[in-house]
Amino acid sequence: MDGQAKVNLILELKNRMNTSLSQAKSRLNSGVMDMKGKLNDLKSSYSKLESASGRSMSGIMSKLSTLRASHVEAFRAMKEEIPGVGRAVSLLSNPLTIAAAGVAAIGIVFQSTTAKAAEFNGNFRQLQMLNIDKPLQDLRSLKGLVLDTAFKSGFDANKTSTAFFDVQSVTGKYGAEVKSIVAKQGQFAQLMQADFNAWIAGSAKAMANYGFGADNLDEFNRAAYATVKTGVTTFDELAKVQSVFAGSAAAARQEFTAADKVFSLFTVKVKSADEAATLTKSLFTDLTKQTTIDAFKKIGISMFDNNGKIKQADKLLLELNAKFMKLGKNDKTLMRLKNQFTGSDGLISFINAATDSSGQLQQTLSSFDASEF
């Protein structure tokens, strides 16, 4: 059963929730209403067969074939939705038992699927309220979009609904655009074994802060992969703390790749990802202050490129490192250059990182750039 068929099935089951189980069975298709009657006919014929030797079972099997053909789609859906049903039915040999088991199993399918539909509807209400100004038909289409995304990608439907809410509420995007974001970031989260909703919510915040769209998500994910690879953090931690420094980084005209590089460097120097994120935030808060711009200028480094744009932090870091490397073992001059900079712990940590003379700084940044996902 493809994704759309499952969507249609669940939407139909939703309409049956307020009816009795017997009514739900009767609406499955036009043949279910007389199933019990046909079973009685089969039972009578089967009993006569057992009392009269030599008689053929062709009549009974013909009736059973007709009954099975009319409900083959129901059995197929039942086998797909409930683990073990297909195996259990295959173990039955008596045709009457097979048919009776089908009736019982259909009831189980309805009860189980209806309960799941009720749970989903409750979860979907949050997203529905976010779009309460939209026509009813749009809300129905949105529900189908959420379910289709979940089924086609193998996501939990309730988590998918929450992800749609997070992306729309943070970015303002809607419908198909949200679907593409949830599908891509959800698959990335599954592959990296990250928390599904945390990663998607974190991605949405990054999109809002840095101002990029779905077409940049591949590079965003690559940078995240490189951050985890070169730094001391996890995807779940990164998803949580990225929003701490994303705003100040964007305000300093920094791209998410440069911000992730600095954060990655800081994670090696401090005890936790939270502390590294705080340092990263304070760095970018101070990076564009006039005192910082003047300090770079005094040591012969311009904060701006030939087009008048602020250089990315990793480029500034390498230029600063090159300056310090030329000093060799002249500690007096080194301290004089360092003392040109005053500001937050983040800025001071940034300057200290640039004093590296072991080559580890360049190696780390090169490893980050070379990381391919």
Side-chain angles (χ1 to χ4, degrees):
M1 180 180 292
D2 60 21
Q4 188 59 47
K6 289 185 178 181
V7 170
N8 292 336
L9 176 61
I10 291 201
L11 291 178
E12 176 63 19
L13 288 171
K14 182 258 184 187
N15 294 326
R16 302 176 185 180
M17 287 176 58
N18 295 325
T19 65
S20 66
L21 180 60
S22 60
Q23 289 175 322
K25 292 177 184 177
S26 67
R27 293 178 60 187
L28 179 63
N29 57 48
S30 61
V32 174
M33 294 181 63
D34 64 343
M35 183 178 281
K36 290 186 178 180
K38 291 182 179 181
L39 287 175
N40 289 333
D41 290 342
L42 284 172
K43 183 177 180 180
S44 176
S45 298
Y46 192 72
S47 297
K48 291 178 181 179
L49 174 67
E50 290 183 324
S51 64
S53 60
R55 293 183 59 182
S56 171
M57 286 191 64
S58 60
I60 296 174
M61 293 311 295
S62 176
K63 291 183 179 181
L64 182 59
S65 296
T66 301
L67 179 62
R68 188 176 70 173
S70 66
H71 300 290
V72 65
E73 292 301 324
F75 278 100
R76 183 178 295 125
M78 174 182 67
K79 288 166 67 178
E80 291 179 0
E81 295 297 332
I82 300 183
V85 167
R87 175 61 177 162
V89 172
S90 69
L91 293 176
L92 300 176
S93 58
N94 189 315
L96 299 179
T97 307
I98 293 175
V103 174
I106 288 174
I108 295 173
V109 170
F110 281 136
Q111 288 176 332
S112 174
T113 309
T114 302
K116 291 179 181 178
E119 181 183 0
F120 171 78
N121 285 335
N123 192 277
F124 179 76
R125 191 168 293 115
Q126 183 184 39
L127 180 60
Q128 182 176 321
M129 293 303 295
L130 186 63
N131 296 281
I132 197 169
D133 59 322
K134 293 181 173 59
L136 182 60
Q137 183 58 41
D138 286 1
L139 295 179
R140 288 173 178 168
S141 297
L142 180 59
K143 179 181 284 189
L145 201 62
V146 172
L147 290 170
D148 187 58
T149 304
F151 288 134
K152 284 185 176 179
S153 301
F155 301 155
D156 178 272
N158 291 313
K159 290 182 178 180
T160 304
S161 180
T162 299
F164 265 70
F165 174 86
D166 289 339
V167 172
Q168 182 182 339
S169 62
V170 172
T171 66
K173 301 180 188 300
Y174 176 77
E177 192 171 9
V178 175
K179 177 181 179 179
S180 66
I181 295 169
V182 171
K184 180 178 289 291
Q185 297 310 92
Q187 289 169 354
F188 182 84
Q190 286 187 331
L191 186 61
M192 295 292 103
Q193 297 184 335
D195 182 271
F196 180 87
N197 287 117
W199 183 252
I200 293 176
S203 300
K205 291 178 181 179
M207 295 176 75
N209 278 295
Y210 291 110
F212 66 91
D215 54 338
N216 293 115
L217 283 174
D218 284 335
E219 178 57 27
F220 175 78
N221 290 338
R222 191 204 69 80
Y225 173 74
T227 302
V228 174
K229 181 180 177 181
T230 59
V232 183
T233 188
T234 66
F235 285 103
D236 286 345
E237 288 175 334
L238 183 59
K240 183 181 69 173
V241 303
Q242 254 185 338
S243 59
V244 173
F245 59 81
S248 62
R253 299 296 189 267
Q254 299 295 301
E255 298 173 357
F256 55 76
T257 301
D260 284 351
K261 285 180 182 179
V262 173
F263 170 73
S264 175
L265 288 171
F266 285 167
T267 61
V268 180
K269 307 293 184 181
V270 296
K271 295 180 180 179
S272 68
D274 288 327
E275 189 176 350
T278 301
L279 287 177
T280 307
K281 176 182 178 180
S282 63
L283 161 66
F284 290 127
T285 300
D286 281 359
L287 190 63
T288 53
K289 287 183 177 179
Q290 190 61 48
T291 53
T292 306
I293 295 174
D294 291 341
F296 271 103
K297 187 175 181 180
K298 285 180 181 180
I299 63 175
I301 296 176
S302 173
M303 286 278 292
F304 304 93
D305 62 20
N306 294 332
N307 296 318
K309 293 183 178 181
I310 295 177
K311 293 176 182 177
Q312 295 301 296
D314 56 318
K315 304 302 181 186
L316 286 170
L317 191 60
L318 289 174
E319 287 187 43
L320 192 58
N321 179 248
K323 286 283 184 181
F324 288 145
M325 289 285 285
K326 287 182 180 179
L327 298 177
K329 295 182 179 181
N330 191 333
D331 292 340
K332 184 177 180 179
T333 306
L334 177 65
M335 291 302 104
R336 183 176 61 81
L337 291 182
K338 281 183 60 178
N339 289 335
Q340 296 291 328
F341 296 89
T342 57
S344 65
D345 289 343
L347 179 61
I348 300 306
S349 296
F350 184 78
I351 302 303
N352 286 337
T355 64
D356 172 67
S357 59
S358 66
Q360 183 179 2
L361 173 63
Q362 292 185 356
Q363 182 179 351
T364 300
L365 294 179
S366 295
S367 178
F368 190 107
D369 289 333
S371 297
E372 294 187 7
F373 175 72

